[in-house]
Amino acid sequence: MDKSLSSFYGRVGSKTRLKDKIYRMMPTDFKTYVEPFIGGGAVMLGYKFKPGTKIVINDLDKTLISGWRKLKNPPSLAGAERYNTNNLEQLRRIVNSSGGGPLKMFVKHLLISNNTFGSMGKGKIYKNSNPYSKLKKLPEYKEKMKSVTILNQNANSVISKYNNAGTFLYLDPPYENSKDLYKKGGMDFEALAKVLRGFKGKFLLSINDSANIRKVFKGFR
């Protein structure tokens, strides 16, 4: 049976606190689940999918997608106990030190994703959460991710690729005026609305409420 897992990587705009509300609004009859803006993936990781469901995640951020690919094929956990610390200075030394094998590089990516201000992936490590608490659960994440397709493409292209009646899209794009929080800033909401108007399946969109957004997505429920 599929497990419900918490987010592995931190991300601006995480839906961790909203995912249960989102689940109540989702259909249950989809055969393919697609997230064109995966971000931290709280909704996908937390959802218990039916056996045989095809899962596709995508994001334009290459660094983020690299992290997801590492989560699907994680390094060996041999020696992981050395990262069992919540000492802030030790965590900073791990991030700032050079060299190391695949596990250390994985831990550095995890710390940069989760322990920087606002989980923005830049600046100093300031949170002292223990990376080992997530490392020891890597086998569960690997199992969850084994059948997940990971893409690094334009979101509209991904939506068009999986445009069929059995597909459900969960869309959580960058909101208006959030371009400074993302490496790839600025969303073309008009283009997104256009591709969604021709979509044959079902979708749920999380977006800020503004006069412009209401205008762009006029006609959708």
Side-chain angles (χ1 to χ4, degrees):
M1 175 181 262
D2 193 26
K3 281 192 173 183
S4 175
L5 300 173
S6 59
S7 293
F8 195 85
Y9 298 118
R11 188 69 170 174
V12 177
S14 170
K15 293 299 178 289
T16 296
R17 296 182 182 181
L18 290 173
K19 63 183 180 181
D20 288 336
K21 183 175 182 179
I22 291 167
Y23 296 153
R24 290 193 294 271
M25 299 174 72
M26 284 171 52
T28 59
D29 59 347
F30 56 87
K31 296 179 180 178
T32 302
Y33 175 91
V34 181
E35 271 203 58
F37 308 92
I38 187 62
V43 173
M44 185 277 289
L45 287 172
Y47 191 77
K48 294 180 180 179
F49 292 95
K50 294 177 181 178
T53 303
K54 182 176 179 60
I55 305 167
V56 180
I57 65 173
N58 174 76
D59 207 282
L60 210 52
D61 187 328
K62 284 183 168 55
T63 302
L64 176 66
I65 287 300
S66 173
W68 279 103
R69 287 176 175 150
K70 288 183 175 73
L71 192 58
K72 183 171 181 175
N73 296 292
S76 166
L77 287 175
E81 293 82 3
R82 76 185 72 171
Y83 301 110
N84 187 6
T85 179
N86 62 358
N87 181 283
L88 186 57
E89 290 308 313
Q90 288 182 8
L91 296 176
R92 285 175 174 168
R93 281 199 293 271
I94 293 169
V95 170
N96 294 327
S97 62
S98 58
L103 180 59
K104 182 180 178 182
M105 300 306 294
F106 185 88
V107 172
K108 287 177 71 170
H109 182 86
L110 176 61
L111 290 172
I112 292 169
S113 297
N114 290 349
N115 294 40
T116 49
F117 181 75
S119 299
M120 292 173 65
K122 57 185 179 181
K124 259 187 163 184
I125 298 296
Y126 93 103
K127 290 189 286 188
N128 63 342
S129 57
N130 189 331
Y132 186 66
S133 63
K134 291 197 172 185
L135 289 179
K136 63 185 180 181
K137 293 183 179 179
L138 268 178
E140 296 179 36
Y141 286 91
K142 183 178 180 180
E143 177 66 20
K144 179 91 177 184
M145 295 293 296
K146 69 180 182 180
S147 60
V148 175
T149 299
I150 304 173
L151 303 176
N152 178 216
Q153 300 174 11
N154 177 276
N156 292 346
S157 298
V158 173
I159 294 170
S160 297
K161 182 177 181 179
Y162 294 95
N163 185 6
N164 61 71
T167 299
F168 169 68
L169 304 173
Y170 173 59
L171 301 143
D172 187 29
Y175 291 7
E176 284 179 306
N177 305 317
S178 63
K179 63 181 181 178
D180 292 337
L181 299 178
Y182 298 88
K183 292 180 181 178
K184 297 286 185 181
M187 267 296 299
D188 186 341
F189 294 109
E190 288 83 2
L192 177 60
K194 182 178 180 180
V195 75
L196 289 175
R197 285 194 174 89
F199 187 66
K200 298 173 184 176
K202 298 175 182 177
F203 74 87
L204 178 62
L205 170 68
S206 300
I207 195 66
N208 59 289
D209 187 4
S210 73
N212 179 56
I213 289 296
R214 286 181 175 272
K215 178 182 178 182
V216 170
F217 293 97
K218 185 178 180 180
F220 291 110
R221 186 165 68 87

